[in-house]
Amino acid sequence: MAKASTRAPVLGPAFIRLLARFGDADLPRTPPVLTERLAQWFDWNRAITLSRALDNRLPAPADGPAFDIAQEAECARLRRSLLDTIDADVDLSAPRRKDASAANVDPGYLPYRQHCLAAQRAMQAATGLLRGRLRDMLALQSPAKARLAEVDAVMEATLSPREQALLAIVPGLLGVHFQRLRDAGAPDTPDTAADAADDTPAAPAAGPWLARFRQDMRTALLAELDVRFHPIDGLLAALRTR
């Protein structure tokens, strides 16, 4: 009989719980208090910048497009485009060029890693530009909203490096998850990686474990998309408020 897991349930946002499951990691039973964590992240330079955004006179906003139905529709279109990127077929062909950072990656997982990295790059580029554009539109609506836009800019500059450091571990954790599912689902499948050419990923044997991995990878990327859209959704809510 399989031994029941004694690990404590992981608390916190769904994305963090998901990554902990993929990495088989234990996280603190009590999540850190947000205000305490923010105090650790804000050095004195960032604190001064935030204080200026909250208290100082803001410069006049630059001319630009106003927020309207067309702009909101474009936000929705962009999100759908990123969903399509996540749901695109994984290219199982050999990579055109060698990637030094993938030297130790399981050959069977390599195409999925490339798919994950491509989706992450697309999300980072698109959401970064969109967030900045929405801030510019928000600053046009009123002085109070211009201050909110300035605060969001400071928060992005402060928190984005930490967010990117967290998101950068996702492909590695998915690789661990891939190997664990493959070993459990096809333990007797011979390892063909040694027989494959150096630049040709070994195709993993199809089976329920691979279907589950594909779904888990999609779930992880969708959760990341939600995380990246949290501040954008907040800006959209402020833009809709008159």
Side-chain angles (χ1 to χ4, degrees):
M1 180 180 296
K3 185 177 180 180
S5 173
T6 58
R7 291 178 57 203
V10 175
L11 304 180
F15 187 46
I16 300 300
R17 296 198 305 270
L18 190 66
L19 296 186
R21 178 167 68 84
F22 291 163
D24 198 27
D26 286 314
L27 295 183
R29 289 183 58 84
T30 304
V33 179
L34 178 60
T35 53
E36 294 178 357
R37 182 55 59 87
L38 286 175
Q40 297 172 10
W41 290 347
F42 273 80
D43 57 22
W44 67 274
N45 285 316
R46 293 297 187 191
I48 291 175
T49 304
L50 179 59
S51 177
R52 289 173 178 168
L54 290 169
D55 300 327
N56 287 8
R57 181 185 298 274
L58 298 176
D63 292 335
F67 182 74
D68 55 19
I69 295 177
Q71 294 291 344
E72 185 155 13
E74 175 61 18
C75 294
R77 186 204 64 77
L78 177 61
R79 187 160 191 165
R80 287 195 302 271
S81 175
L82 292 173
L83 285 171
D84 290 341
T85 299
I86 291 172
D87 287 335
D89 293 336
V90 176
D91 183 2
L92 298 177
S93 61
R96 296 181 179 179
R97 62 183 65 180
K98 289 188 177 182
D99 181 0
S101 65
N104 298 320
V105 175
D106 184 307
Y109 171 61
L110 191 57
Y112 300 97
R113 178 180 182 272
Q114 293 301 109
H115 179 82
C116 180
L117 290 173
Q120 287 186 313
R121 286 192 294 267
M123 286 189 279
Q124 182 178 357
T127 56
L129 290 173
L130 176 59
R131 187 173 179 179
R133 191 164 75 246
L134 292 179
R135 278 200 301 264
D136 292 342
M137 296 178 195
L138 189 64
L140 294 173
Q141 289 191 344
S142 72
K145 291 186 177 182
R147 192 167 300 281
L148 176 60
E150 189 72 12
V151 170
D152 180 74
V154 175
M155 297 300 288
E156 181 180 17
T158 301
L159 301 182
S160 283
R162 300 181 182 277
E163 178 184 79
Q164 296 309 319
L166 170 64
L167 297 176
I169 70 174
V170 172
L173 290 178
L174 283 170
V176 172
H177 189 52
F178 176 91
Q179 292 177 328
R180 184 183 299 116
L181 289 177
R182 183 185 59 188
D183 293 345
D188 299 326
T189 300
D191 185 3
T192 59
D195 299 328
D198 291 343
D199 59 350
T200 304
W209 72 269
L210 186 56
R212 177 182 170 185
F213 171 76
R214 285 174 174 267
Q215 181 58 44
D216 285 345
M217 181 176 69
R218 179 178 185 272
T219 300
L221 291 173
L222 290 177
E224 178 174 334
L225 182 62
D226 285 342
V227 168
R228 291 183 183 274
F229 260 84
H230 282 166
I232 291 172
D233 290 338
L235 290 171
L236 285 171
L239 283 161
R240 297 185 191 111
T241 304
R242 298 292 181 181

